[in-house]
Amino acid sequence: MSGRHRYQGHRAQSYFVADEDLLTELRASQRTFNGAYMRTALGNMGFSLTVLRLFGRLFYRIGIVYAVLAFLLCVCTFFRARYARHDIADTHDPDDDTLSLLAIPTVGQEHKKSFGRPFVTAGKIVAVVAFVVAGTEIALFVLILQL
């Protein structure tokens, strides 16, 4: 059973959210964290297609750089979605409370209902996205200087 996520004691495939507040929280989390990466990737893909269709051959490499950025952001979206599954899963070891120690307590939410594990930023994924975008900016700068 190791490696499989359980949600309130249920397997991931058979989990049905009955609590309206939890369902709202899950949808907001997916929309905010997973959707933001995908919307950014789709926006970059649209911009790359615009550059490729409207401008001449001189700008083809710039359009391709944006298409590569969009693809890499889609890959980051996939990993961010996998990370989000861990956020709402049941804790694997209730005695291990190290994640709760890393989380910053929210002022005004001390006695509210807790949904899943405490929120901790997906730092590795954010660092990868920052690296990908920085590499893209450097590539664009080099390409613009070559024009």
Side-chain angles (χ1 to χ4, degrees), residues 62-124:
I62 292 175
I64 290 174
V65 167
Y66 274 104
V68 169
L69 174 63
F71 172 74
L72 292 175
L73 286 174
C74 283
V75 171
C76 290
T77 300
F78 171 75
F79 286 110
R80 179 62 180 107
R82 288 188 63 203
Y83 187 87
R85 281 186 54 210
H86 295 269
D87 291 343
I88 62 166
D90 294 343
T91 55
H92 296 288
D93 186 9
D95 297 330
D96 184 19
D97 202 24
T98 56
L99 193 59
S100 296
L101 297 175
L102 293 174
I104 299 172
T106 306
V107 177
Q109 300 292 323
E110 293 89 4
H111 304 291
K112 300 284 183 169
K113 188 174 183 179
S114 177
F115 298 103
R117 298 176 184 180
F119 176 75
V120 177
T121 303
K124 294 176 186 173

Side-chain angles (χ1 to χ4, degrees), residues 4-5 10 23 28 38 45 47-48 64 73 85 89 103 111 118 137 142:
R4 295 183 185 230
H5 296 289
H10 299 280
L23 183 61
M38 187 54 77
M45 182 57 71
F47 185 73
S48 73
I64 290 174
L73 286 174
R85 281 186 54 210
H111 304 291
E137 295 296 325
V142 168

Side-chain angles (χ1 to χ4, degrees), residues 27-43:
R27 288 178 178 165
S29 174
Q30 289 174 343
R31 185 174 53 247
T32 303
F33 300 117
N34 305 343
Y37 287 93
M38 187 54 77
R39 285 190 302 271
T40 305
L42 291 175

